[in-house]
Amino acid sequence: MTLLVLLGTMIGLSLLGVHLVFAILLSSTLALLIYRDYIPLEIIAQLFLSGIDNFLLLAVGFFFLAGELMNRGGVTRRIVEFAEACVGHIRGGLGHVNVASSVFFSGISGSAVADTAAIGSVMVPAMEKAGFSRGFAAAVTQSSSVIGPIIPPSIPMIVYAVLAQQSVGKMFLAGVLPGLLVALCLMVMVYVVALRRGYPAGRWQGVGAILRAGASALVALATPVIIVGGILGGVMTATEAGAVAVAYAFVIGKFWFRELTWAGCGEALVAAAKGSATVLVIVGASSVFAWIVADLKVSTTAAELIFSISRDPFWVLVMAMIFVLLIGLFMDPLAGLVVTVPVLLPVMQDIGVDPIHFGVLIVLNLMIGLTTPPVGYLIYLSAYIAKESPEVVIRESLPFLAALFAALILCLCFPALVLTLPQLYSGG
């Protein structure tokens, strides 16, 4: 009964448009009222504060700020120019440039929303001018933005690492090959659609153009190397790496590219504060939710239910991914992490599924939910940028959804795609 109140109230309030953090807190409060005879409501404030009282979560704010500074410092344009020089000559030209730009930009932002806003504002008008439909341009933009939280640095990976008590460095490494696989699947689909519709390809600019554009973008593309290398080398913690990324973003934007203004710095600080606050209040509220889920022993009940169907690790993982997919259709990825990780992770550990493998699968699965109705807000953001209706964007996104699910299935069936780099790092 308590679990039904908890989940039903939260999902219902979310569908009614109540802000996620309030939906979680209100549903948790109602659930605790059922326990009122022996659990004081003061525990809500205690759990909320303890949830965000984590040094590692400072990295979220730093990575938000680094991405905002780079976006205002001329980095996005140079990344797009480099991507165009590399892949613009393939059939579907600017569609491939869109995907490749998301790959490069993902090493800076760590956020799908930031990726959509930054790349979309540049690529959608350019694609429309080149003869691509606005719906197609928006669909490619929102689908490729899924790469942002997969390739490091990644804000959802940090949140999962906190929830599952895993290494941030290993989670970052585990996302590299799946992120590139997602990009490859999307580029194949762009080529197929472009071939069928007769979309144009750009001209081959030559190796010299690639080298020139690469040299201009090199200082920006070095960001993920500095972040991940510093963490894995034991030189920096994830939080310290975030602070270094902010300093690096400021220096290259202000003194190297000379496009970052003091006004832009102020705008970046405000935007980063809003983004960080959104993430942290959700994590805090979700700590209350997670405590109730643990107290109700939901993971034990879930394990019994799943194991009554099958104990084969592969099929258990498949059932878990179907459950996560359904959650992702209606919930924000961060809330989805907090709802699903406490319930499913103990089950995965019981059957021997690597928590790093499970973490990448669950993050990728929930990110796909951002591109699907009814809640997926990348649909509405990309439609707004393209000045197109969400219905058209959804229809144009169907082939790319197939590509995203293909990448997810490959990562599920072949764990080596996720675990090879973390195992090489740890010597396992």
Side-chain angles (χ1 to χ4, degrees):
M1 176 62 182
T2 305
L3 182 61
L4 289 176
V5 170
L6 184 67
L7 294 176
T9 304
M10 182 177 61
I11 293 174
L13 289 173
S14 298
L15 292 176
L16 289 173
V18 176
H19 195 284
L20 182 61
V21 65
F22 298 117
I24 295 174
L25 287 175
L26 286 171
S27 60
S28 300
T29 302
L30 284 176
L32 284 175
L33 285 173
I34 298 176
Y35 284 145
R36 191 63 181 92
D37 54 335
Y38 69 95
I39 296 183
L41 292 180
E42 288 82 354
I43 198 172
I44 294 176
Q46 295 172 1
L47 291 170
F48 186 98
L49 291 175
S50 65
I52 61 177
D53 186 18
N54 189 317
F55 182 73
L56 183 57
L57 289 175
L58 285 172
V60 172
F62 284 131
F63 286 131
F64 262 121
L65 182 55
E68 293 292 341
L69 288 172
M70 286 198 170
N71 193 28
R72 288 165 172 78
V75 171
T76 304
R77 175 171 54 81
R78 288 170 172 82
I79 285 177
V80 171
E81 289 173 353
F82 178 53
E84 186 171 6
C86 292
V87 298
H89 62 285
I90 305 173
R91 168 70 69 176
L94 291 183
H96 298 294
V97 174
N98 197 323
V99 177
S101 298
S102 291
V103 172
F104 297 139
F105 194 75
S106 66
I108 297 169
S109 70
S111 165
V113 176
D115 200 338
T116 300
I119 301 300
S121 61
V122 176
M123 288 305 308
V124 170
M127 290 179 71
E128 183 182 2
K129 185 177 180 180
F132 296 85
S133 72
R134 290 182 296 183
F136 177 82
V140 174
T141 300
Q142 71 136 356
S143 301
S144 64
S145 295
V146 169
I147 301 169
I150 307 302
I151 292 179
S154 165
I155 291 167
M157 294 288 195
I158 294 173
V159 174
Y160 175 82
V162 171
L163 294 171
Q165 297 182 335
Q166 297 297 312
S167 163
V168 173
K170 287 185 178 181
M171 287 301 303
F172 279 2
L173 273 180
V176 174
L177 293 182
L180 296 176
L181 176 64
V182 170
L184 177 62
C185 291
L186 289 174
M187 291 180 76
V188 168
M189 192 57 67
V190 168
Y191 182 84
V192 170
V193 175
L195 195 63
R196 191 174 73 245
R197 297 184 183 180
Y199 283 145
R203 64 180 182 83
W204 168 243
Q205 300 180 32
V207 176
I210 294 177
L211 294 176
R212 287 191 297 273
S216 179
L218 183 62
V219 290
L221 298 176
T223 306
V225 177
I226 294 171
I227 294 170
V228 179
I231 295 173
L232 298 179
V235 179
M236 300 175 281
T237 65
T239 302
E240 292 165 345
V244 169
V246 170
Y248 183 73
F250 175 77
V251 169
I252 65 172
K254 185 69 176 176
F255 303 109
W256 185 269
F257 295 142
R258 298 183 179 180
E259 294 187 23
L260 181 63
T261 63
W262 291 114
C265 289
E267 293 170 357
L269 284 167
V270 171
K274 289 180 179 178
S276 303
T278 300
V279 171
L280 292 176
V281 295
I282 290 173
V283 171
S286 298
S287 299
V288 185
F289 184 95
W291 184 88
I292 298 173
V293 167
D295 189 64
L296 291 172
K297 297 181 174 57
V298 174
S299 60
T300 302
T301 305
E304 292 173 353
L305 177 61
I306 291 173
F307 290 157
S308 68
I309 301 173
S310 173
R311 295 189 69 91
D312 182 273
F314 175 78
W315 291 111
V316 171
L317 197 52
V318 168
M319 287 186 283
M321 288 301 103
I322 293 173
F323 173 70
V324 172
L325 176 63
L326 294 174
I327 291 292
L329 292 177
F330 299 100
M331 297 186 68
D332 175 271
L334 295 180
L337 281 174
V338 178
V339 170
T340 55
V341 171
V343 175
L344 295 177
L345 184 60
V347 179
M348 297 299 112
Q349 291 173 323
D350 284 346
I351 60 173
V353 173
D354 191 293
I356 300 293
H357 182 210
F358 177 66
V360 171
L361 289 177
I362 199 171
V363 169
L364 176 54
N365 201 336
L366 290 170
M367 289 305 121
I368 293 175
L370 288 176
T371 68
T372 59
V375 177
Y377 45 74
L378 292 187
I379 297 170
Y380 306 102
L381 178 57
S382 61
Y384 173 79
I385 293 171
K387 297 181 175 60
E388 186 58 271
S389 70
E391 292 77 16
V392 172
V393 176
I394 291 170
R395 185 171 64 251
E396 291 280 6
S397 296
L398 293 178
F400 302 109
L401 272 177
L404 292 173
F405 281 120
L408 176 64
I409 292 170
L410 287 172
C411 289
L412 190 155
C413 295
F414 302 101
L417 288 169
V418 176
L419 298 175
T420 295
L421 292 181
Q423 288 173 348
L424 287 175
Y425 164 68
S426 62

